[in-house]
Amino acid sequence: MKYLVTGGAGYVGSVVAQHLLEAGHEVTVLDNLSTGFRAGVPAGAAFVEGDIRDAAKWLDPSYDGVLHFAAFSQVGESVVKPEKYWENNVGGTMALLAAMREAGVNRLVFSSTAATYGEPEEVPIPESAPTRPTNPYGASKLAVDHMITSEAHAHGLAAVSLRYFNVAGAYGPYGERHDPESHLIPLVLQVAQGRREAISVYGDDYPTPDGTCVRDYIHVADLADAHLLALGAARSGEHLICNLGNGNGFSVREVVETAREVTGHPIPEVTAPRRAGDPAVLVASAQTARATLGWNPSRADLAGIIADAWEFARDTQREH
Ligand SMILES: O=c1ccn([C@@H]2O[C@H](COP(=O)(O)OP(=O)(O)O[C@H]3O[C@H](CO)[C@@H](O)[C@H](O)[C@H]3O)[C@@H](O)[C@H]2O)c(=O)[nH]1
């Protein structure tokens, strides 16, 4: 099969593109490199440097489907520059859907997010939970989910949205690196590398066992497996939405402690004020993905996830 992967030079996109290639598919990566970061386009994938708004230039009926990752994804930035998120994430996807319709490409897997739920009423969070995003990033992803639902109903698109919880770890040379970095595990590992003095723990007075926020960390390779299964499960006229997480919550302190064990570094921590917009606990119910996609994540061990991220962080540092 032949697939277009938008945002395929980024963290999750590159890992999924690599999995598609390993499964014997033909892959074209479309990425405008606008996040200033190129995790790497896997060897064996064709690469087009371009914008999703111009997808009509490259999409043609020879494609069997699109995996859509291209988006801005910094929660804090979305609060101060919401127009950037509506323009790119929503406007860009509207253009992509039009290009797919035009080319008769009828299969879509979309990179959605736990941020569509906002502060949860129940944990673990099922897909039936209310969607009340607390920032424009989550709102923009939710708007795209609605757009895809109507596209499926009106035009027969076969679509799956995958709502990621906290993606982490690495797959060979494809790992997580943002500029500026704001995610917990890469920052903790920067401390272990001596690139930062300490990790700031954002809030220790949450209603959780140790007072720090609890998240559901999922290995990027398990996440990639779900995308390949979603391509097979998509049915014309239907929009399936699946959470992707392990269903296990780990606190910020537990993540830092596990990183100490993995790296052998003391990783000093300082308690800092809460970060705006952080829910206390975000843990997925991924029953739909298990039952409907047949997804069975096999890399749920937090130490293993951090060990893979650590190997990637050290390899990346050697390159610079
Ligand atoms: O220096 C840091 C960085 C993070 N945290 C905490 O660590 C947890 C995880 O933070 P982070 O790695 O930034 O992930 P989330 O904020 O949970 O973000 C996830 O969920 C967002 C939407 O909710 C997505 O946009 C992100 O890509 C995804 O990683 C949160 O409680 C943060 O407050 C710290 O204590 N110190």
Side-chain angles (χ1 to χ4, degrees):
M1 301 287 224
K2 183 176 174 184
Y3 295 110
L4 182 74
V5 179
T6 77
Y11 172 40
V12 178
S14 62
V15 174
V16 173
Q18 177 63 24
H19 276 71
L20 287 167
L21 290 166
E22 287 173 14
H25 300 297
E26 202 180 322
V27 174
T28 302
V29 165
L30 170 64
D31 200 305
N32 65 4
L33 309 178
S34 66
T35 54
F37 165 63
R38 186 170 171 176
V41 176
F47 175 57
V48 177
E49 185 171 345
D51 197 283
I52 45 172
R53 289 176 202 79
D54 299 322
K57 284 190 203 161
W58 298 288
L59 259 186
D60 64 55
S62 69
Y63 283 92
D64 296 290
V66 174
L67 296 102
H68 179 31
F69 301 93
F72 292 130
S73 63
Q74 306 262 359
V75 170
E77 182 190 58
S78 79
V79 176
V80 291
K81 292 184 188 163
E83 65 283 3
K84 190 171 162 181
Y85 284 71
W86 294 110
E87 219 283 313
N88 185 56
N89 295 4
V90 180
T93 306
M94 205 183 292
L96 177 66
L97 289 174
M100 290 177 69
R101 227 180 290 131
E102 185 75 13
V105 178
N106 196 39
R107 187 166 296 263
L108 175 71
V109 175
F110 173 58
S111 166
S112 187
T113 170
T116 52
Y117 296 112
E119 188 77 48
E121 276 171 13
E122 62 175 310
V123 177
I125 306 172
E127 291 84 1
S128 56
T131 42
R132 291 186 293 238
T134 50
N135 53 66
Y137 162 67
S140 72
K141 288 279 185 173
L142 182 61
V144 172
D145 276 342
H146 287 315
M147 204 152 72
I148 291 171
T149 303
S150 50
E151 188 78 15
H153 292 165
H155 302 302
L157 183 70
V160 180
S161 285
L162 298 173
R163 291 190 172 157
Y164 313 159
F165 282 63
N166 285 60
V167 189
Y171 188 68
Y174 311 107
E176 187 176 15
R177 193 174 31 171
H178 303 95
D179 188 18
E181 189 54 73
S182 67
H183 288 90
L184 179 63
I185 291 176
L187 286 171
V188 167
L189 297 178
Q190 286 184 7
V191 180
Q193 286 178 309
R195 296 166 61 194
R196 258 169 217 274
E197 296 215 334
I199 184 73
S200 297
V201 174
Y202 295 147
D204 64 356
D205 57 352
Y206 284 96
T208 60
D210 68 13
T212 68
C213 288
V214 169
R215 294 289 182 272
D216 184 343
Y217 294 89
I218 169 169
H219 196 292
V220 67
D222 280 339
L223 196 81
D225 289 343
H227 289 73
L228 272 72
L229 292 167
L231 283 169
R235 297 283 171 269
S236 178
E238 291 177 17
H239 179 206
L240 176 65
I241 297 179
C242 297
N243 289 339
L244 295 180
N246 286 308
N248 302 322
F250 292 97
S251 72
V252 173
R253 288 238 159 89
E254 285 174 317
V255 169
V256 176
E257 188 50 41
T258 307
R260 288 185 183 120
E261 286 160 19
V262 168
T263 64
H265 189 282
I267 312 183
E269 62 180 68
V270 292
T271 302
R274 289 183 177 196
R275 190 173 67 176
D278 273 346
V281 180
L282 285 177
V283 175
S285 164
Q287 287 314 316
T288 306
R290 288 174 181 272
T292 314
L293 304 181
W295 183 60
N296 189 17
S298 60
R299 305 165 185 91
D301 172 52
L302 182 63
I305 292 174
I306 294 178
D308 285 355
W310 179 228
E311 195 175 326
F312 170 76
R314 284 185 301 174
D315 287 350
T316 313
Q317 196 174 30
R318 271 196 289 276
E319 284 167 19
H320 291 88

